Amino acid sequence: MLVPTVVLSGIGLLSGLGLALAARAFAVETDPRQDRITEALPGANCGGCGFAGCGDFAGAVVRGDAQPDGCPVCDQETRRLVAAIVGQTVQDRAPRVALILCQGGDDVAAKKYRYNGLASCASAALLGGGDKTCGAGCLGLGDCQRACAFGAVEMTPSGVARIIPARCTACGQCVAACPKDLIKLVPAEATIHVLCSNHDRGPAAKKACAVACLGCKKCEKSFAEDPRIKVADFLAYIDYEHAPDDPALAALCPTGSLVCSGAAAPAAERTS
Amino acid sequence: MKFRGGVHPSYHKDTAGLQIETLPLLHRYVVPIAQHLGAPGKVLVAKGDRVARWQPLSEPVGFVSVSVHAPTSGTVKQVAALPHPLGRPMLAVEIESDGEDRPWDGLAPPADWRTLDPAVLRRAIQAAGVVGLGGATFPTHVKLSPPAEKKIDLLVLNGAECEPYLTADHRVMLEQAAEVMEGLGLMMRVLGVTRACVGIESNKPDALEALRRACPADVAAEFMLLETKYPQGSEKHLIYALCGRRVPPGGLPMDVGCVVQNVGTAVACLEAVRDGLPMTERVATVTGAAINVPHNLRVRVGAPLLDVLAHCGGVTPDVGKVIFGGPMMGIGQFDLDVPLIKGTSGVLCLRDDEAARFEGGPCIRCGACVDACPMGLVPSAMGLIAERFRFEELGDWHVLDCIECGSCAYVCPSRRPLVQHFKRGKAEWRGILEERRAKSERDAKRAETAATA
Amino acid sequence: MTLEPGTGPDGAPTEPATPVADPITPQDLIVSASPHVHAGQDVPWIMRQVLLALLPGLLVGLWFFGLGALRVLVVAIAGCLACEWACARLVKRPATLRDYSAVVTGVLLAMNLPSGCPWWLVLIGSAVAIGLGKAVYGGLGYNPFNPALVARVFLLISFPVQMTTWVVPQGPGTALDAATGATPLGAIKEAVGLGRTVAEAGAPGLRDLLLGNVGGSFGEVSALALLLGGLWLLWRGVIRWQVPVAFMAVTALVTGVAHLADPAHHASPLVHLLGGGLMLGAWFMATDMVTSPVTRRGLLIFGAGCGLLTAVIRLWGGYPEGVSFAILLMNAATPLIDRWTRPRVFGEARQLYREADAA
């Protein structure tokens, strides 16, 4: 009994010693600032900064390859802290949130064929742009949902993606994941949005989707002097630098593509 | 020589006995500008222009580019983005036919290819807008212009037609045997080769016999009956089957001294030179259980699908899929207004219950796909990688060597959409390569500026 | 859209095409990536073939071991199906009972158990097979080890007494509390261990080994019936020949050499081939697609490894039987074998065409 105990303990001790020595001998020199930055960062490793993770980003900041405010996720406090560690200052930035510019679920948007294959938007989009008749419609297969490290994307029962603003950190991963380019980062305090990306003329757009922007310009006309909403190429868009906030504006829209409040209200509710 | 892998789908060559019929003149044609691999041409006509048959509608921009020509005389109704067989609307010229079918007066005069210089022949082939009719639609003159350092010694004529259902090439070989063989002679002259191999699958011995009998004395061609196995008509596998040369991964047939041309392309080349006629028509098989009257049709390029289907008696109510090309590599269509184009070797209408569904169950590692892959890849492993979106690993598995023949998905008992995985994977992997290249370029530039500073 | 009469290329008016009532609206058409047809096999088909192939062995087992075997079989199948359903519920995935894979696992597990083992043992085995053998890895297709074998080995180690109490086959009337005896390989091992020779062990003759009139797990006894099923699978293209052939060949080779060297203490290779679980293992367990390599070369290596390990365990190991351990060990080596035996990409070989030209 004694011999094996001693032998095993001995082996354990030796191995531990070896490891400790190896850690010393082969230690990689890191800038202490890198560790401090890594600690300050959210640690979600979402990749929103364009680097492999928070540690990688911290290294890049120390080397000067990344701006200290390059983390899109962390709050202003943290940004300032990170900048202070490398002896820089950062400008304040308005918080942003991702927005899906489509609300064409299966209940309102027409389909041009029956899709069979992978449940991935990027793969479906290779087949004639996807099954939605609207060329700029959400395919509802959830590439953005899978890309989101914060669980901030949900799929509505009618099969269109929706952002949960409270969870969104504006890291931008969903923006990159959407093959139809339907996701945009907008100022979090903006309340009026055009939730459509269809550039077709009115009749074609209407045929494709009941909640499409027809380019009718009703909204634009209410801002005749001050172009906060403009219609270009049959699609209204909002100048978020001077975002309008009048809830009455949304009532002008005949299809409900123009919505009020940060979270997109379900299209069905608005049109009824 | 037999290549490894491949599958034996049911061939359904039911239309093999049907003579080629010419589709009557239609009222309307939609001619996409991009019908070939390479740069689309520059449009030469505008709305309201009167055009004549065979008149060029576009001119090539650059070397890997060809013109498209008016299929009949009439008026240009619009030049706009219109439905295209590849799925997305693309620039096309819509022509309203005037019923006269008046030929263009600018046609090249008929000429004898035996007396013409290869360079002249090449120009004539490009001007006629000839592209490979096997389906890939690579401009033929480019394939016939190998770089000087690649010594070509063998022209392979592809009469394999390994896709199930399609019989267009078969009928061309039977009915236009003399023209096929003369076209082969012409292409041999362009390439300056003295040896040609004609490869035909063993289910078409009559085609081989017809070609052998029609072979002119001055065309030195060897004929070979090949195993009936899909994808026997793939360039790499055809070359291997005929002469045992293996095209290296990422390489082209010219890397082993070969050029492969389809039988229909041979006829088109001949017509371009002998008659001075541009390529405005092709033979396509309209078949499948969901079409009422199957046909081998000579169709003018630009004929809308709906009119072609109507000529064949329409589709049955249980139609589930309309495919341009064969069932293994064809492209599913959803807009019946798409035109048939130069690369459309057939229109296949499958019943709803015939059309395979790829629901994508879990891989059970049965290895059927590994046995089936003619390229020696491991589709099972690649599918699992692509499923997890780890596209950067796909390069190690030679995803770019995948020829998308569909053999793996065809045999997969779990009905995994493997080809769809690989199409996406190839695109993503190319993107990654491009990104790496751009990054290394940026780094090099930065290092350079740092060194000079 | 209708067609109006036009004129043919020769100027003559063509007959008007009949206006076709358009039966398709585009949104009815399916669009998917190529290919658009399929060979027809699917996973349930494969599993049904396996079940069909197991039938002869199963029937022989039921014949010889009677009600006890039937009880084991029913409990195992029911247990596996229930477990599969429960595991699917647990991870909130649709239940995959319809692919028959749980049934196959249940039948294989039952066939690997002694007919006299208590029902709770079978239930534990089912739970281990589906739960620990399959579900924890993510279900069908992701398990590295053959679920039925995981369960068998788990039971063998945890309940050695119940798992090695073999009922003596007495035909359909075999009572539930029938007399017990030894398996052929067990008898030989025991005799040799006691210093006697193989001949003195009183092992059954070849005819009994072929037909299955011997002690053992109830599904492994009849080499002939199992071989029949295996050949059926081979003929249907469900399994590939590499695994069973390599497995049996290497086992026969190694045990044959041992037998030649020392016939008194090592049984003949025929006894090794026909006795014990080798037939069941080589044709039905080692050929499990999920847990064996995907390339044919890999399968050959895999089968040979199984054969070698089986022979080594049987000849020199503590257990009289080594098929389960051998297969499980080779299951573990499968990813490695897959790496080694990746096929060569077409054209990757040295450029043969120069030689072809010279010829």
Side-chain angles (χ1 to χ4, degrees), chain C residues 306-355:
Chain C
C306 287
L308 183 69
L309 287 172
T310 299
V312 167
I313 295 172
R314 281 184 179 182
L315 292 174
W316 297 292
Y319 286 95
E321 176 58 293
V323 172
S324 309
F325 293 106
I327 296 175
L328 283 179
L329 283 170
M330 289 312 289
N331 283 165
T334 291
L336 196 65
I337 298 175
D338 267 340
R339 270 181 80 101
W340 281 343
T341 58
R342 245 171 71 177
R344 193 179 284 148
V345 177
F346 181 89
E348 208 178 39
R350 65 211 158 85
Q351 312 251 311
L352 288 174
Y353 79 98
R354 294 283 169 225
E355 286 111 80

Short mmCIF file of all heavy atoms in Angstrom, two decimals, chain C residues 306-355:
data_model
loop_
_atom_site.label_atom_id
_atom_site.label_comp_id
_atom_site.label_asym_id
_atom_site.label_seq_id
_atom_site.Cartn_x
_atom_site.Cartn_y
_atom_site.Cartn_z
N CYS C 306 -10.13 -5.31 -35.73
CA CYS C 306 -11.11 -6.04 -34.92
C CYS C 306 -10.70 -7.50 -34.80
O CYS C 306 -10.74 -8.10 -33.71
CB CYS C 306 -12.49 -5.97 -35.55
SG CYS C 306 -13.29 -4.37 -35.41
N GLY C 307 -10.32 -8.08 -35.94
CA GLY C 307 -9.95 -9.49 -35.95
C GLY C 307 -8.75 -9.76 -35.06
O GLY C 307 -8.74 -10.70 -34.25
N LEU C 308 -7.75 -8.90 -35.17
CA LEU C 308 -6.52 -9.08 -34.40
C LEU C 308 -6.81 -8.98 -32.91
O LEU C 308 -6.41 -9.85 -32.12
CB LEU C 308 -5.49 -8.02 -34.82
CG LEU C 308 -4.14 -8.13 -34.14
CD1 LEU C 308 -3.41 -9.37 -34.63
CD2 LEU C 308 -3.30 -6.89 -34.40
N LEU C 309 -7.54 -7.93 -32.52
CA LEU C 309 -7.82 -7.72 -31.10
C LEU C 309 -8.67 -8.87 -30.55
O LEU C 309 -8.44 -9.34 -29.43
CB LEU C 309 -8.54 -6.39 -30.89
CG LEU C 309 -7.63 -5.16 -31.06
CD1 LEU C 309 -8.45 -3.88 -31.02
CD2 LEU C 309 -6.59 -5.13 -29.95
N THR C 310 -9.65 -9.30 -31.35
CA THR C 310 -10.48 -10.41 -30.89
C THR C 310 -9.63 -11.64 -30.61
O THR C 310 -9.74 -12.27 -29.54
CB THR C 310 -11.53 -10.75 -31.97
OG1 THR C 310 -12.34 -9.61 -32.18
CG2 THR C 310 -12.40 -11.92 -31.54
N ALA C 311 -8.76 -11.96 -31.57
CA ALA C 311 -7.93 -13.16 -31.40
C ALA C 311 -7.01 -13.01 -30.19
O ALA C 311 -6.87 -13.94 -29.39
CB ALA C 311 -7.11 -13.38 -32.68
N VAL C 312 -6.43 -11.83 -30.04
CA VAL C 312 -5.50 -11.63 -28.92
C VAL C 312 -6.22 -11.78 -27.59
O VAL C 312 -5.75 -12.46 -26.68
CB VAL C 312 -4.84 -10.25 -29.04
CG1 VAL C 312 -4.13 -9.88 -27.74
CG2 VAL C 312 -3.85 -10.23 -30.20
N ILE C 313 -7.42 -11.15 -27.49
CA ILE C 313 -8.15 -11.23 -26.23
C ILE C 313 -8.56 -12.68 -25.94
O ILE C 313 -8.44 -13.18 -24.83
CB ILE C 313 -9.39 -10.31 -26.26
CG1 ILE C 313 -8.94 -8.85 -26.34
CG2 ILE C 313 -10.25 -10.53 -25.01
CD1 ILE C 313 -10.07 -7.88 -26.56
N ARG C 314 -9.04 -13.35 -26.99
CA ARG C 314 -9.50 -14.73 -26.78
C ARG C 314 -8.34 -15.65 -26.40
O ARG C 314 -8.48 -16.52 -25.55
CB ARG C 314 -10.15 -15.26 -28.06
CG ARG C 314 -11.57 -14.77 -28.24
CD ARG C 314 -12.17 -15.42 -29.46
NE ARG C 314 -13.54 -15.00 -29.67
CZ ARG C 314 -14.29 -15.47 -30.67
NH1 ARG C 314 -13.77 -16.34 -31.54
NH2 ARG C 314 -15.52 -15.08 -30.81
N LEU C 315 -7.19 -15.45 -27.04
CA LEU C 315 -6.07 -16.36 -26.81
C LEU C 315 -5.37 -16.07 -25.50
O LEU C 315 -5.01 -16.97 -24.77
CB LEU C 315 -5.08 -16.28 -27.96
CG LEU C 315 -5.59 -16.82 -29.31
CD1 LEU C 315 -4.57 -16.56 -30.40
CD2 LEU C 315 -5.89 -18.31 -29.20
N TRP C 316 -5.16 -14.81 -25.24
CA TRP C 316 -4.30 -14.49 -24.10
C TRP C 316 -4.96 -13.62 -23.06
O TRP C 316 -4.40 -13.31 -22.03
CB TRP C 316 -3.01 -13.82 -24.60
CG TRP C 316 -2.22 -14.74 -25.49
CD1 TRP C 316 -1.60 -15.88 -25.10
CD2 TRP C 316 -2.03 -14.61 -26.90
NE1 TRP C 316 -1.00 -16.48 -26.18
CE2 TRP C 316 -1.25 -15.72 -27.30
CE3 TRP C 316 -2.42 -13.70 -27.85
CZ2 TRP C 316 -0.86 -15.93 -28.62
CZ3 TRP C 316 -2.02 -13.87 -29.17
CH2 TRP C 316 -1.27 -15.00 -29.54
N GLY C 317 -6.19 -13.15 -23.32
CA GLY C 317 -6.85 -12.26 -22.37
C GLY C 317 -7.52 -13.01 -21.25
O GLY C 317 -7.58 -14.23 -21.23
N GLY C 318 -8.10 -12.27 -20.30
CA GLY C 318 -8.77 -12.87 -19.18
C GLY C 318 -10.15 -13.38 -19.54
O GLY C 318 -10.69 -14.28 -18.93
N TYR C 319 -10.77 -12.74 -20.52
CA TYR C 319 -12.12 -13.14 -20.94
C TYR C 319 -12.03 -14.21 -22.03
O TYR C 319 -11.12 -14.18 -22.85
CB TYR C 319 -12.87 -11.94 -21.51
CG TYR C 319 -13.33 -10.96 -20.47
CD1 TYR C 319 -12.56 -9.83 -20.17
CD2 TYR C 319 -14.54 -11.11 -19.81
CE1 TYR C 319 -12.98 -8.90 -19.24
CE2 TYR C 319 -14.97 -10.19 -18.87
CZ TYR C 319 -14.18 -9.09 -18.60
OH TYR C 319 -14.61 -8.17 -17.68
N PRO C 320 -12.99 -15.13 -22.05
CA PRO C 320 -13.00 -16.12 -23.13
C PRO C 320 -13.41 -15.47 -24.46
O PRO C 320 -13.10 -15.97 -25.53
CB PRO C 320 -14.05 -17.13 -22.68
CG PRO C 320 -14.92 -16.40 -21.70
CD PRO C 320 -14.04 -15.37 -21.06
N GLU C 321 -14.16 -14.36 -24.40
CA GLU C 321 -14.71 -13.73 -25.59
C GLU C 321 -14.14 -12.32 -25.72
O GLU C 321 -14.02 -11.61 -24.71
CB GLU C 321 -16.24 -13.68 -25.47
CG GLU C 321 -16.93 -12.96 -26.58
CD GLU C 321 -16.63 -13.55 -27.93
OE1 GLU C 321 -15.46 -13.44 -28.37
OE2 GLU C 321 -17.52 -14.12 -28.55
N GLY C 322 -13.81 -11.88 -26.95
CA GLY C 322 -13.20 -10.56 -27.10
C GLY C 322 -13.80 -9.70 -28.17
O GLY C 322 -13.32 -8.60 -28.42
N VAL C 323 -14.88 -10.21 -28.80
CA VAL C 323 -15.41 -9.47 -29.94
C VAL C 323 -15.89 -8.08 -29.55
O VAL C 323 -15.56 -7.08 -30.20
CB VAL C 323 -16.56 -10.28 -30.59
CG1 VAL C 323 -17.26 -9.45 -31.65
CG2 VAL C 323 -16.01 -11.55 -31.21
N SER C 324 -16.64 -7.98 -28.45
CA SER C 324 -17.19 -6.67 -28.06
C SER C 324 -16.08 -5.67 -27.77
O SER C 324 -16.11 -4.54 -28.25
CB SER C 324 -18.04 -6.83 -26.80
OG SER C 324 -18.96 -7.86 -26.95
N PHE C 325 -15.09 -6.15 -26.98
CA PHE C 325 -13.99 -5.23 -26.65
C PHE C 325 -13.23 -4.82 -27.90
O PHE C 325 -12.87 -3.66 -28.07
CB PHE C 325 -13.04 -5.89 -25.65
CG PHE C 325 -13.65 -6.12 -24.31
CD1 PHE C 325 -14.03 -7.39 -23.89
CD2 PHE C 325 -13.86 -5.05 -23.44
CE1 PHE C 325 -14.61 -7.59 -22.66
CE2 PHE C 325 -14.43 -5.24 -22.20
CZ PHE C 325 -14.81 -6.52 -21.81
N ALA C 326 -13.01 -5.78 -28.78
CA ALA C 326 -12.24 -5.48 -29.99
C ALA C 326 -12.95 -4.43 -30.82
O ALA C 326 -12.34 -3.45 -31.29
CB ALA C 326 -12.06 -6.76 -30.80
N ILE C 327 -14.26 -4.60 -31.01
CA ILE C 327 -15.00 -3.65 -31.84
C ILE C 327 -15.01 -2.27 -31.19
O ILE C 327 -14.80 -1.26 -31.84
CB ILE C 327 -16.43 -4.16 -32.10
CG1 ILE C 327 -16.37 -5.45 -32.92
CG2 ILE C 327 -17.23 -3.11 -32.86
CD1 ILE C 327 -17.72 -6.10 -33.13
N LEU C 328 -15.24 -2.24 -29.88
CA LEU C 328 -15.27 -0.94 -29.20
C LEU C 328 -13.92 -0.24 -29.31
O LEU C 328 -13.85 0.97 -29.53
CB LEU C 328 -15.65 -1.12 -27.73
CG LEU C 328 -17.13 -1.37 -27.46
CD1 LEU C 328 -17.37 -1.56 -25.97
CD2 LEU C 328 -17.97 -0.23 -27.97
N LEU C 329 -12.84 -1.00 -29.16
CA LEU C 329 -11.50 -0.39 -29.27
C LEU C 329 -11.29 0.15 -30.68
O LEU C 329 -10.75 1.25 -30.86
CB LEU C 329 -10.42 -1.43 -28.94
CG LEU C 329 -10.25 -1.70 -27.44
CD1 LEU C 329 -9.34 -2.90 -27.22
CD2 LEU C 329 -9.68 -0.47 -26.75
N MET C 330 -11.72 -0.62 -31.68
CA MET C 330 -11.54 -0.14 -33.05
C MET C 330 -12.48 1.04 -33.34
O MET C 330 -12.15 1.92 -34.11
CB MET C 330 -11.76 -1.27 -34.05
CG MET C 330 -10.66 -2.31 -34.06
SD MET C 330 -8.97 -1.64 -34.11
CE MET C 330 -8.90 -1.02 -35.79
N ASN C 331 -13.67 1.05 -32.71
CA ASN C 331 -14.54 2.23 -32.82
C ASN C 331 -13.77 3.48 -32.41
O ASN C 331 -13.87 4.53 -33.06
CB ASN C 331 -15.76 2.09 -31.89
CG ASN C 331 -16.81 1.14 -32.44
OD1 ASN C 331 -17.69 0.70 -31.73
ND2 ASN C 331 -16.73 0.81 -33.71
N ALA C 332 -13.02 3.34 -31.33
CA ALA C 332 -12.27 4.49 -30.85
C ALA C 332 -11.21 4.92 -31.85
O ALA C 332 -10.83 6.09 -31.93
CB ALA C 332 -11.61 4.16 -29.51
N ALA C 333 -10.73 3.96 -32.62
CA ALA C 333 -9.66 4.27 -33.58
C ALA C 333 -10.23 4.79 -34.91
O ALA C 333 -9.47 5.21 -35.78
CB ALA C 333 -8.81 3.03 -33.83
N THR C 334 -11.55 4.76 -35.05
CA THR C 334 -12.15 5.11 -36.34
C THR C 334 -11.77 6.50 -36.87
O THR C 334 -11.40 6.63 -38.03
CB THR C 334 -13.68 4.92 -36.27
OG1 THR C 334 -13.94 3.54 -36.16
CG2 THR C 334 -14.37 5.47 -37.49
N PRO C 335 -11.86 7.55 -36.03
CA PRO C 335 -11.49 8.86 -36.56
C PRO C 335 -10.05 8.87 -37.09
O PRO C 335 -9.76 9.48 -38.13
CB PRO C 335 -11.63 9.79 -35.35
CG PRO C 335 -12.55 9.08 -34.41
CD PRO C 335 -12.33 7.62 -34.63
N LEU C 336 -9.18 8.16 -36.38
CA LEU C 336 -7.78 8.11 -36.80
C LEU C 336 -7.65 7.40 -38.15
O LEU C 336 -6.96 7.86 -39.06
CB LEU C 336 -7.00 7.35 -35.73
CG LEU C 336 -5.48 7.51 -35.79
CD1 LEU C 336 -5.11 8.95 -35.51
CD2 LEU C 336 -4.81 6.58 -34.80
N ILE C 337 -8.36 6.27 -38.28
CA ILE C 337 -8.31 5.52 -39.54
C ILE C 337 -8.85 6.39 -40.68
O ILE C 337 -8.31 6.40 -41.79
CB ILE C 337 -9.12 4.22 -39.41
CG1 ILE C 337 -8.50 3.33 -38.33
CG2 ILE C 337 -9.16 3.49 -40.74
CD1 ILE C 337 -9.30 2.07 -38.06
N ASP C 338 -9.93 7.11 -40.38
CA ASP C 338 -10.49 7.99 -41.40
C ASP C 338 -9.46 9.02 -41.86
O ASP C 338 -9.39 9.38 -43.03
CB ASP C 338 -11.73 8.70 -40.86
CG ASP C 338 -13.01 7.94 -41.19
OD1 ASP C 338 -12.97 7.12 -42.12
OD2 ASP C 338 -14.02 8.15 -40.51
N ARG C 339 -8.69 9.52 -40.93
CA ARG C 339 -7.66 10.50 -41.30
C ARG C 339 -6.60 9.86 -42.18
O ARG C 339 -6.14 10.47 -43.14
CB ARG C 339 -6.99 11.03 -40.03
CG ARG C 339 -7.61 12.23 -39.46
CD ARG C 339 -6.83 12.64 -38.23
NE ARG C 339 -5.63 13.37 -38.61
CZ ARG C 339 -5.55 14.70 -38.54
NH1 ARG C 339 -6.58 15.38 -38.13
NH2 ARG C 339 -4.45 15.31 -38.88
N TRP C 340 -6.18 8.66 -41.82
CA TRP C 340 -5.11 7.99 -42.57
C TRP C 340 -5.53 7.65 -43.99
O TRP C 340 -4.71 7.62 -44.89
CB TRP C 340 -4.75 6.67 -41.88
CG TRP C 340 -3.88 6.82 -40.70
CD1 TRP C 340 -3.13 7.89 -40.36
CD2 TRP C 340 -3.67 5.82 -39.68
NE1 TRP C 340 -2.47 7.65 -39.20
CE2 TRP C 340 -2.78 6.39 -38.75
CE3 TRP C 340 -4.14 4.55 -39.48
CZ2 TRP C 340 -2.36 5.70 -37.64
CZ3 TRP C 340 -3.72 3.86 -38.37
CH2 TRP C 340 -2.84 4.43 -37.46
N THR C 341 -6.80 7.29 -44.12
CA THR C 341 -7.21 6.68 -45.37
C THR C 341 -8.01 7.62 -46.25
O THR C 341 -8.83 7.19 -47.03
CB THR C 341 -8.06 5.42 -45.12
OG1 THR C 341 -9.20 5.81 -44.33
CG2 THR C 341 -7.29 4.36 -44.39
N ARG C 342 -7.78 8.92 -46.06
CA ARG C 342 -8.49 9.84 -46.95
C ARG C 342 -8.13 9.51 -48.38
O ARG C 342 -6.96 9.38 -48.72
CB ARG C 342 -8.12 11.27 -46.62
CG ARG C 342 -9.31 12.03 -46.11
CD ARG C 342 -8.94 13.35 -45.60
NE ARG C 342 -8.57 14.28 -46.65
CZ ARG C 342 -8.25 15.54 -46.38
NH1 ARG C 342 -8.25 15.97 -45.16
NH2 ARG C 342 -7.92 16.35 -47.35
N PRO C 343 -9.12 9.36 -49.25
CA PRO C 343 -8.79 8.99 -50.63
C PRO C 343 -8.00 10.10 -51.33
O PRO C 343 -8.04 11.26 -50.90
CB PRO C 343 -10.16 8.80 -51.29
CG PRO C 343 -11.14 9.47 -50.41
CD PRO C 343 -10.57 9.50 -49.04
N ARG C 344 -7.31 9.72 -52.36
CA ARG C 344 -6.54 10.70 -53.12
C ARG C 344 -7.49 11.43 -54.07
O ARG C 344 -8.32 10.80 -54.73
CB ARG C 344 -5.47 9.96 -53.92
CG ARG C 344 -4.44 10.86 -54.50
CD ARG C 344 -3.41 10.06 -55.25
NE ARG C 344 -2.47 9.37 -54.37
CZ ARG C 344 -1.92 8.21 -54.67
NH1 ARG C 344 -2.24 7.61 -55.79
NH2 ARG C 344 -1.06 7.65 -53.85
N VAL C 345 -7.36 12.74 -54.09
CA VAL C 345 -8.21 13.52 -54.98
C VAL C 345 -7.89 13.17 -56.43
O VAL C 345 -6.72 12.95 -56.77
CB VAL C 345 -8.00 15.03 -54.75
CG1 VAL C 345 -8.82 15.85 -55.71
CG2 VAL C 345 -8.37 15.37 -53.33
N PHE C 346 -8.92 13.10 -57.26
CA PHE C 346 -8.73 12.74 -58.66
C PHE C 346 -7.67 13.64 -59.28
O PHE C 346 -7.77 14.86 -59.23
CB PHE C 346 -10.04 12.90 -59.43
CG PHE C 346 -9.95 12.54 -60.87
CD1 PHE C 346 -10.17 11.23 -61.28
CD2 PHE C 346 -9.63 13.48 -61.83
CE1 PHE C 346 -10.06 10.89 -62.62
CE2 PHE C 346 -9.52 13.15 -63.17
CZ PHE C 346 -9.73 11.85 -63.55
N GLY C 347 -6.67 13.01 -59.88
CA GLY C 347 -5.64 13.79 -60.56
C GLY C 347 -4.47 14.14 -59.66
O GLY C 347 -3.46 14.66 -60.13
N GLU C 348 -4.62 13.85 -58.35
CA GLU C 348 -3.56 14.22 -57.43
C GLU C 348 -2.35 13.30 -57.60
O GLU C 348 -1.25 13.65 -57.21
CB GLU C 348 -4.07 14.15 -55.99
CG GLU C 348 -3.37 15.09 -55.05
CD GLU C 348 -3.97 15.00 -53.66
OE1 GLU C 348 -4.31 13.88 -53.22
OE2 GLU C 348 -4.10 16.03 -53.02
N ALA C 349 -2.60 12.12 -58.18
CA ALA C 349 -1.51 11.19 -58.40
C ALA C 349 -0.45 11.81 -59.31
O ALA C 349 -0.68 12.84 -59.93
CB ALA C 349 -2.05 9.92 -59.05
N ARG C 350 0.70 11.19 -59.35
CA ARG C 350 1.72 11.71 -60.25
C ARG C 350 1.15 11.68 -61.66
O ARG C 350 0.28 10.89 -61.98
CB ARG C 350 2.99 10.89 -60.12
CG ARG C 350 2.85 9.47 -60.56
CD ARG C 350 3.77 8.55 -59.78
NE ARG C 350 3.24 7.21 -59.86
CZ ARG C 350 3.50 6.39 -60.87
NH1 ARG C 350 4.28 6.76 -61.85
NH2 ARG C 350 2.97 5.20 -60.89
N GLN C 351 1.65 12.53 -62.49
CA GLN C 351 1.06 12.73 -63.81
C GLN C 351 1.33 11.52 -64.69
O GLN C 351 2.41 11.34 -65.21
CB GLN C 351 1.68 13.96 -64.44
CG GLN C 351 1.69 15.13 -63.48
CD GLN C 351 0.72 16.19 -63.88
OE1 GLN C 351 0.69 16.60 -65.02
NE2 GLN C 351 -0.10 16.61 -62.94
N LEU C 352 0.29 10.75 -64.84
CA LEU C 352 0.48 9.50 -65.57
C LEU C 352 0.51 9.69 -67.08
O LEU C 352 0.91 8.81 -67.81
CB LEU C 352 -0.67 8.55 -65.22
CG LEU C 352 -0.61 7.97 -63.82
CD1 LEU C 352 -1.85 7.17 -63.54
CD2 LEU C 352 0.63 7.11 -63.65
N TYR C 353 0.09 10.87 -67.54
CA TYR C 353 -0.13 10.96 -68.97
C TYR C 353 1.16 10.93 -69.77
O TYR C 353 1.18 10.55 -70.91
CB TYR C 353 -0.96 12.19 -69.32
CG TYR C 353 -0.21 13.50 -69.34
CD1 TYR C 353 0.23 14.02 -70.55
CD2 TYR C 353 0.03 14.20 -68.18
CE1 TYR C 353 0.89 15.22 -70.57
CE2 TYR C 353 0.70 15.39 -68.20
CZ TYR C 353 1.12 15.91 -69.40
OH TYR C 353 1.78 17.08 -69.44
N ARG C 354 2.26 11.35 -69.14
CA ARG C 354 3.52 11.30 -69.89
C ARG C 354 3.84 9.85 -70.26
O ARG C 354 4.19 9.55 -71.38
CB ARG C 354 4.65 11.88 -69.04
CG ARG C 354 4.48 13.36 -68.77
CD ARG C 354 4.86 14.22 -69.99
NE ARG C 354 4.46 15.59 -69.78
CZ ARG C 354 3.85 16.36 -70.68
NH1 ARG C 354 3.56 15.89 -71.89
NH2 ARG C 354 3.52 17.59 -70.41
N GLU C 355 3.66 8.98 -69.25
CA GLU C 355 3.91 7.57 -69.53
C GLU C 355 2.92 7.04 -70.56
O GLU C 355 3.26 6.32 -71.47
CB GLU C 355 3.78 6.73 -68.25
CG GLU C 355 4.93 6.89 -67.30
CD GLU C 355 4.50 7.63 -66.07
OE1 GLU C 355 3.90 7.01 -65.18
OE2 GLU C 355 4.76 8.85 -66.00
#
